[in-house]
Amino acid sequence: MSARMRPRFEYVAPCPPVAAPGRLQDALEQTDAPCRGRVFGSHAVLHVLHRDERVWSPFLSLDLAGHGDQTLVRGLFGPKPSIWSLFVASYAVWTFGAVFALGFAYVQWTLDQPMWAFWLLLVSGIGALATYAFARYGQRRGRGQMDLLRRFIDDALAVP
């Protein structure tokens, strides 16, 4: 697995570009489809089924483009938007804490005071590392669902 927070993939499917969105929509409408989603022209968003959804469950954003008589498929895995927002906000809090700690420590240094604010910098660093670790843990837990979504796309677009 890549070290990316939001893994990407790109490949050329043997399906004609005008037929790809229809094939994907048809596969999603099957009663035994392993996932759910919507197709919006040349863009699609796929999710795991509600009954299988967990906090770490991914969603897949797809772009379908013409590539001669075949289809260029670009996919981006990511957490649900609410979870993604939580991680971005968490990183913002830890960054703000680090900047505050550095500024406060500088003031303490210029006033010849004990520089205990450097401990806040350490706390911010540990918090950012913990946030990253939680993100990687969730990505590892959702790996099976990522594979399920990818297999669904491959099957729908007839990738050998």
Side-chain angles (χ1 to χ4, degrees):
M1 181 188 314
S2 152
R4 294 182 128 166
M5 295 302 285
R6 298 180 69 188
R8 302 169 190 270
F9 64 87
E10 180 177 312
Y11 67 92
V12 177
C15 174
V18 294
R23 281 190 184 182
L24 197 52
Q25 185 65 45
D26 291 343
L28 285 168
E29 290 173 357
Q30 298 296 316
T31 57
D32 60 343
C35 61
R36 60 189 171 87
R38 300 203 49 198
V39 179
F40 308 96
S42 64
H43 183 76
V45 178
L46 302 178
H47 302 268
V48 297
L49 296 175
H50 286 293
R51 69 172 187 256
D52 299 327
E53 201 168 53
R54 305 290 181 267
V55 171
W56 57 80
S57 293
F59 84 99
L60 174 58
S61 175
L62 286 174
D63 284 315
L64 308 169
H67 188 76
D69 60 343
Q70 299 178 326
T71 302
L72 177 64
V73 179
R74 290 188 184 112
L76 173 66
F77 286 105
K80 292 177 281 194
S82 58
I83 299 299
W84 183 249
S85 298
L86 177 70
F87 278 102
V88 169
S90 178
Y91 282 123
V93 166
W94 298 125
T95 302
F96 177 76
V99 170
F100 174 79
L102 282 173
F104 201 77
Y106 175 74
V107 169
Q108 289 174 326
W109 177 66
T110 58
L111 296 176
D112 287 328
Q113 298 290 320
M115 294 192 310
W116 56 264
F118 272 120
W119 289 107
L120 297 177
L121 184 62
L122 179 64
V123 169
S124 293
I126 291 171
L129 286 174
T131 301
Y132 179 76
F134 280 126
R136 296 294 292 168
Y137 173 75
Q139 196 176 48
R140 193 168 40 253
R141 291 290 306 257
R143 182 63 186 186
Q145 292 176 337
M146 289 170 63
D147 292 340
L148 174 106
L149 293 173
R150 176 63 191 262
R151 276 192 310 272
F152 176 79
I153 296 302
D154 293 348
D155 292 344
L157 298 178
V159 174

